[in-house]
Amino acid sequence: MPFDPLYHPYPSHRVPVYGARGMVATSQPLAAQAGLDVLKHGGNAIDAAIATASALTVLEPCSNGIGGDAFALVWSEGKLHGLNSSGPSPAAISLEAVRALGHDRMPQYGAVPVTVPGAPAAWAELSRRFGRLPLAEALRPAADYAERGYPLSPTAARMWQRAAEYYAAAQPNGATFAEWLRTFAPAGRAPRAGEIWRSPAHAATLRLIGETDAEAFYRGALAVRIEACIAEHGGFLDAGDLAAFAPEWVEPISTNYRGYDVWEIPPNGQGLVALLALGILRGWERHEREDVETAHRQIEAIKLAFADGQHYISDARGMKIKPADLLHPAYADTRRSLIGDRAALPEAGKPPGGGTVYLATADDKGNMVSFIQSNYTGFGSGLVVENTGIALQNRGYGFSLDPLSINRLEPGKRSYHTIIPGFLTRDGEAVGPFGVMGGLMQPQGHVQVLMNTLDFHLHPQAALDAPRWQWTGGRTVLVEPGFPAHIAQALARRGHNIQAAADANSFGRGQIIWRDPGTGALVGGSDSRTDGLVAAW
């Protein structure tokens, strides 16, 4: 794709990073270096992705953990493979059981919203199928950081502090967060930027996972500890749920935009929302950068896409509408016809029948990985399994207790999942991985970053650094500092409720790696909204 590597229209003036033999891009510099070290010691892009992902559970635990979920898109030997390693709800849970505990909606914290963690299984499965190194070798950098300690980076320190304040305030209501406080706030407060934090228990857990190819986590000593933790705090997950889990290889879904195929993981992930929006937006021959008409179209397309996504997306086994039906060009035409000059309140259509981290890796053999991992909200449920460093996710918080909802709570069911890796190809050849983390911002970030790349021809760093907007519901749209004031004002005149956001953290944090089809050179960018780094070789 044509772009000027020196042109950066935004204040940071950061330029992209180039490499030839390998590249790792993620939100934490030490984690990117961990992945690059594995590449240099004989690993491939898949080994590097595992090393980076496991290191992020130590280096940025405020966004992900050993007890979270993961998804991956892997390009290997000329084919794209999708891995869904999101865990289901416990077999013993039900609407009635949760209501009997006094809840009228799924609780956000504690043992009840804990679902089966998928991340360790994802690492083991990726290593088994595509890795060059033993899993224990790929996890070694993460374990070393946990044992020896490391100085916190600034963005992670801010996020850590917010979590510590919440858990400390909630602690008088029970012992739910006691182990979290002992593990992640050992001095009685969150560690500050530049301070050393270590977790020997975390290191021991990572080594055990590596030595047993994650068997200890799902069917061994760690599974026993997880079950005991959940039982102590009144939850539903047990060792049987862990033993029954296995990641699922899935066929990625795609849409064509400006001659490129954009790939996402199929439901239960929300990547379909990004594809739906792009399908609507491709109906216009041209979009202009920093133009009110373009911004209006983007916002309205995202609203329509989310209306469909939140109405239809759930565990794929229970969906009555197939992604292919929603992605049909005729359906995109129908949805596009609903976009006028004014901000609208969209509804789902009727198609014809038929706390996250992101990383990207590439090597000189053509392998590329788009990988995303999360505990859902920050550190997750607030539960940490004693003497293991395992912070358990709260993905069950995404279930509805409305029996009529497509995303209603059921036993053994995967919830609507916010984390989505992306991948770009052209004419059957890999262009590269991309992603933007951050809850419901993720599909919106995918659309904006891709349009910056394919419509406006910005290099990876500029495509990530461009000011973003975020639709939050109804007609409300947040714009971050740096978003053009004249565009915001023009959108307001069209009926959008434009609100200036004081905190850029809610607009996502992304990474990109593209491969030049002519030279094979790699070029990458890492979002200026975080502490990230592109490590190249």
Side-chain angles (χ1 to χ4, degrees):
M1 58 195 69
F3 57 77
D4 181 349
L6 298 179
Y7 174 64
H8 198 310
Y10 307 108
S12 74
H13 301 297
R14 296 172 66 190
V15 294
V17 174
Y18 286 85
R21 299 189 62 184
M23 185 171 286
V24 180
T26 194
S27 55
Q28 212 284 342
L30 298 178
Q33 293 289 352
L36 191 66
D37 286 345
V38 164
L39 277 177
K40 289 184 173 183
H41 287 87
N44 60 17
I46 293 85
D47 298 310
I50 297 166
T52 306
S54 58
L56 284 165
T57 70
V58 179
L59 299 166
E60 200 178 305
C62 45
S63 303
N64 76 126
I66 299 174
D69 278 346
F71 293 86
L73 289 167
V74 180
W75 181 271
S76 181
E77 297 184 353
K79 181 174 173 27
L80 189 65
H81 309 263
L83 182 67
N84 181 334
S85 200
S86 62
S89 59
I93 205 168
S94 66
L95 288 170
E96 295 74 21
V98 173
R99 285 183 175 144
L101 295 174
H103 302 292
D104 56 9
R105 61 168 297 176
M106 282 295 287
Q108 184 171 1
Y109 298 108
V112 173
V114 177
T115 53
V116 176
W123 305 339
E125 182 66 14
L126 288 168
S127 178
R128 180 196 65 78
R129 183 164 180 181
F130 293 111
R132 187 182 295 166
L133 302 177
L135 180 61
E137 189 68 21
L139 300 187
R140 187 188 306 277
D144 288 347
Y145 274 123
E147 186 168 63
R148 298 174 184 174
Y150 67 93
L152 257 66
S153 53
T155 300
R158 287 197 301 271
M159 298 166 68
W160 207 315
Q161 176 62 29
R162 291 177 188 173
E165 290 172 354
Y166 177 85
Y167 293 145
Q171 181 61 22
N173 297 325
T176 300
F177 308 125
E179 185 65 17
W180 185 94
L181 291 164
R182 282 193 291 269
T183 302
F184 294 106
R189 59 169 176 78
R192 301 186 178 102
E195 288 188 333
I196 304 296
W197 178 80
R198 58 178 55 85
S199 177
H202 200 135
T205 294
L206 287 166
R207 292 190 176 109
L208 187 55
I209 290 171
E211 291 163 1
T212 65
D213 288 333
E215 280 294 302
F217 190 93
Y218 294 96
R219 284 164 282 277
L222 295 174
V224 172
R225 292 189 184 189
I226 293 169
E227 180 181 59
C229 175
I230 296 295
E232 178 185 354
H233 294 283
F236 297 90
L237 187 76
D238 63 24
D241 298 311
L242 293 165
F245 178 70
E248 180 183 2
W249 289 103
V250 296
E251 285 296 323
I253 56 176
S254 70
T255 196
N256 191 272
Y257 187 80
R258 303 296 189 241
Y260 292 80
D261 289 315
V262 182
W263 297 89
E264 303 275 358
I265 292 284
N268 56 313
Q270 65 173 344
L272 178 59
V273 173
L275 300 183
L276 290 171
L278 289 169
I280 294 169
L281 288 162
R282 71 173 171 233
W284 285 281
E285 183 176 343
R286 184 176 177 82
H287 298 290
E288 300 290 341
R289 186 171 65 86
E290 294 193 356
D291 173 74
V292 64
E293 188 65 39
T294 296
H296 174 72
R297 292 169 182 170
Q298 289 177 318
I299 293 166
E300 294 302 292
I302 276 290
K303 288 157 69 173
L304 289 166
F306 263 116
D308 281 338
Q310 295 183 339
H311 186 75
Y312 293 116
I313 291 175
S314 183
D315 191 317
R317 294 167 295 182
M319 286 178 60
K320 296 180 180 179
I321 297 293
K322 296 178 181 178
D325 298 331
L326 290 162
L327 292 172
H328 195 283
Y331 183 62
D333 293 342
T334 300
R335 301 298 272 163
R336 188 182 310 110
S337 69
L338 300 176
I339 297 178
D341 293 334
R342 302 286 298 173
L345 295 174
E347 296 181 356
K350 294 182 179 180
T356 303
V357 291
Y358 174 79
L359 64 98
T361 64
D363 63 30
D364 60 354
K365 305 300 182 185
N367 300 300
M368 306 181 91
V369 180
S370 182
F371 188 98
I372 198 159
Q373 183 170 274
S374 175
N375 270 11
Y376 196 24
T377 59
F379 283 88
S381 65
L383 282 184
V384 176
V385 182
E386 188 174 3
N387 294 322
T388 66
I390 300 171
L392 294 167
Q393 67 180 355
N394 58 341
R395 185 58 59 176
Y397 178 56
F399 282 118
S400 171
L401 295 187
D402 179 356
L404 300 180
S405 170
I406 185 70
N407 201 39
R408 63 187 172 273
L409 176 65
E410 296 177 76
K413 181 179 181 179
R414 288 168 165 156
S415 72
Y416 179 108
H417 224 293
T418 55
I419 63 175
I420 52 173
F423 203 92
L424 199 63
T425 65
R426 186 172 193 179
D427 298 328
E429 296 295 329
V431 177
F434 69 93
V436 178
M437 62 197 92
L440 296 178
M441 180 64 203
Q442 292 182 58
Q444 305 183 58
H446 280 209
V447 168
Q448 292 175 66
V449 165
L450 283 172
M451 290 185 69
N452 290 341
T453 301
L454 302 179
D455 285 296
F456 312 141
H457 309 296
L458 299 181
H459 63 66
Q461 191 61 54
L464 290 164
D465 287 347
R468 295 181 190 146
W469 52 264
Q470 180 184 10
W471 176 68
T472 61
R475 294 186 177 90
T476 299
V477 179
L478 301 181
V479 295
E480 68 176 334
F483 190 88
H486 68 287
I487 302 297
Q489 293 164 4
L491 288 170
R493 290 192 291 271
R494 292 193 177 207
H496 297 278
N497 176 22
I498 302 297
Q499 297 182 8
D503 186 358
N505 285 339
S506 69
F507 291 89
R509 303 172 294 151
Q511 280 78 36
I512 293 172
I513 296 176
W514 302 141
R515 189 188 300 279
D516 187 306
T519 67
L522 302 167
V523 56
S526 182
D527 209 310
S528 60
R529 295 166 184 83
T530 188
D531 306 320
L533 177 74
V534 180
W537 185 22

